[in-house]
């Protein structure tokens, strides 16, 4: 799908399969403060690219010309006032490095760093509340895998995001 050029900030995420998306969305609905939960669960690959750069949609189309990725959900991670599920995949690491090279002229410092993929299920709470949820989720956690389905691009709207386009991976 061709993207209409926009002004502002472009965010790139890695999409999950419907069952995995529903699972993580339900955790966010249960544990994320309602006033701040205006996004579905997501895996951010790039936080700030120029939305008006015409080569980005073409490059994403090329990167999506591949089989879906399987990601290991390896643990529940506590990051101060945030609780997230850590994701692991050597294949995703390699793909992200290739994408970094392609997007290098526009990368902010945060997006130049090695990818630490995760799915946040609680944020914007006290450290105590985050620690409680981390302990609760860790008690029953067992590693599992999720499937990815492609990339999405989003326009940042000073809080909420607006979906711009989807770049599906090749079907299996």
């Amino acid at each position: 799908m061709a993207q209409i050029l926009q002004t502002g900030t472009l965010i790139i995420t890695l999409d999950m399969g419907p069952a995995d998306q529903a699972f993580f969305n339900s955790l966010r609905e249960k544990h994320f403060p309602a006033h701040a939960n205006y996004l579905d669960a997501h895996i951010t690959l790039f936080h700030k690219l120029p939305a008006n750069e015409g080569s980005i949609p073409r490059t994403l189309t090329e990167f999506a010309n591949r089989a879906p990725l399987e990601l290991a959900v390896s643990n529940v991670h506590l990051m101060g006032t945030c609780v997230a599920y850590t994701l692991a995949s050597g294949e995703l690491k390699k793909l992200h490095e290739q994408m970094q090279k392609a997007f290098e002229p526009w990368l902010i410092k945060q997006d130049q760093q090695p990818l630490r993929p995760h799915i946040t299920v609680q944020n914007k709470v006290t450290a105590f509340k985050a620690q409680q949820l981390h302990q609760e989720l860790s008690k029953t956690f067992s590693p599992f895998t999720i499937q990815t389905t492609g990339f999405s691009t989003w326009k940042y709207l000073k809080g909420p995001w607006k979906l711009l386009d989807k770049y599906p991976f090749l079907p299996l």
Side-chain angles (χ1 to χ4, degrees), residues 9-99:
T9 297
L10 182 72
I11 300 163
I12 299 175
T13 61
L14 183 62
D15 297 336
M16 297 173 253
D20 299 322
Q21 186 71 56
F23 171 75
F24 287 108
N25 281 349
S26 70
L27 287 171
R28 280 180 71 97
E29 289 168 16
K30 184 175 180 182
H31 301 295
F32 215 100
H35 73 278
N37 191 21
Y38 36 71
L39 299 174
D40 282 344
H42 55 278
I43 306 165
T44 304
L45 296 179
F46 294 95
H47 299 83
K48 188 175 183 182
L49 291 170
N52 61 351
E53 178 50 54
S55 67
I56 292 174
R58 289 189 300 275
T59 303
L60 283 172
T61 299
E62 292 170 15
F63 277 117
N65 189 22
R66 56 162 297 117
L69 294 162
E70 183 175 88
L71 307 179
V73 181
S74 57
N75 70 351
V76 182
H77 186 71
L78 176 64
M79 300 178 283
T81 61
C82 173
V83 177
Y85 283 80
T86 303
L87 307 172
S89 166
E91 197 174 359
L92 175 58
K93 182 180 188 271
K94 184 177 174 183
L95 175 62
H96 186 260
E97 289 169 353
Q98 293 168 346
M99 294 174 81

Side-chain angles (χ1 to χ4, degrees), residues 45-46 96 100 107-116:
L45 296 179
F46 294 95
H96 186 260
Q100 284 177 311
L107 295 182
I108 61 171
K109 193 166 197 80
Q110 181 181 19
D111 290 335
Q112 293 172 4
Q113 305 303 312
L115 182 66
R116 285 183 238 133

